[in-house]
Amino acid sequence: TKSGTPVWIREFLRLERGENAYSITGRKSTVMDISEMKKNEVELYKAHDSLKELNLSKDKFISIVSHDLRAPFTTLLGFSEILLNEHDISEDERNEYLQYIYEASKSQLNLINCLLDWSRLQTGRIKIDPVRLNVKTLISTAVTPLTGDAVRKNINVKIEIPVDLYVNADERLMSQAIVNLATNAIKFTPEGK
């Protein structure tokens, strides 16, 4: 165009030939502006590439989640099998194994709840209910159930937050985020640190 914008065209050409196959007696041509169709085609290719990338991300996500879902089951099955098959274990050992089963079950439930929340977030069905929360209480409540894991690794968990610090947030979602962060911190902190 005069403004420098490219225009895509498609031409349909019809030739009329005389008795001699090489002589052209008539020519009819129809030219169509197909710029809009080409623009849609480019957008379609972009959408295809975007969906392909999303699909790869989904596959990677499913692979990670599958691994994380399987790990607690190893603990559940292993200690359950010991409790079912070993009849001469002490009461202390039995309680210790039950504690491992309990912790693995909690971990599994937490992971499933995270997946459900993620699914609700992706589909826009998550309900956020912000309220005024005391940060120290929020973090203490979220971290307390993880103390057993920290003690087993000889890790000292300190919560140094002013008592008068508040935040306006969804309590359940904030607790879940804090639990996830604290769980990973305990998991990846070397023993005795």
Side-chain angles (χ1 to χ4, degrees):
T1 63
K2 287 182 182 178
S3 66
T5 307
V7 176
W8 286 85
I9 59 169
R10 176 173 286 160
E11 181 179 17
F12 296 96
L13 185 63
R14 183 173 176 222
L15 299 176
E16 295 174 2
R17 299 189 183 274
E19 292 180 22
N20 177 350
Y22 297 107
S23 69
I24 297 172
T25 59
R27 173 182 162 168
K28 292 183 181 176
S29 176
T30 305
V31 177
M32 291 175 47
D33 181 348
I34 60 165
S35 299
E36 191 65 29
M37 186 169 50
K38 278 295 186 181
K39 180 182 162 195
N40 291 340
E41 187 179 311
V42 167
E43 301 227 354
L44 187 63
Y45 280 121
K46 284 181 183 174
H48 176 266
D49 290 343
S50 176
L51 288 173
K52 207 169 162 183
E53 194 174 308
L54 278 172
N55 199 36
L56 287 172
S57 295
K58 174 199 57 109
D59 290 345
K60 184 177 179 182
F61 176 74
I62 287 172
S63 172
I64 292 167
V65 167
S66 298
H67 178 269
D68 286 349
L69 280 172
R70 190 172 31 193
F73 278 111
T74 305
T75 302
L76 292 169
L77 292 171
F79 286 112
S80 297
E81 186 177 349
I82 291 171
L83 290 171
L84 287 170
N85 296 327
E86 299 292 327
H87 302 292
D88 57 347
I89 59 176
S90 70
E91 190 63 29
D92 287 343
E93 285 178 311
R94 182 175 301 281
N95 288 334
E96 181 182 354
Y97 296 161
L98 287 171
Q99 186 64 37
Y100 289 142
I101 291 171
Y102 175 74
E103 294 295 331
S105 300
K106 274 192 348 187
S107 172
Q108 189 74 8
L109 180 61
N110 182 47
L111 182 58
I112 290 169
N113 285 334
C114 288
L115 286 173
L116 289 172
D117 285 341
W118 179 83
S119 171
R120 287 186 197 113
L121 187 64
Q122 295 299 310
T123 58
R125 293 179 296 132
I126 197 160
K127 184 180 177 232
I128 298 174
D129 186 23
V131 293
R132 183 176 158 93
L133 300 168
N134 180 280
V135 176
K136 186 166 189 163
T137 304
L138 176 69
I139 292 175
S140 296
T141 303
V143 172
T144 299
L146 306 173
T147 310
D149 294 335
V151 169
R152 279 190 283 282
K153 285 187 75 176
N154 197 23
I155 297 171
N156 190 12
V157 177
K158 292 181 185 176
I159 301 172
E160 297 177 359
I161 298 170
V163 179
D164 59 347
L165 182 62
Y166 289 86
V167 67
N168 195 31
D170 183 288
E171 186 173 8
R172 184 178 56 84
L173 295 176
M174 283 301 292
S175 294
Q176 195 171 48
I178 294 165
V179 166
N180 289 343
L181 289 169
T183 300
N184 284 336
I186 293 168
K187 181 177 179 181
F188 295 108
T189 299
E191 197 164 329
K193 294 288 181 178

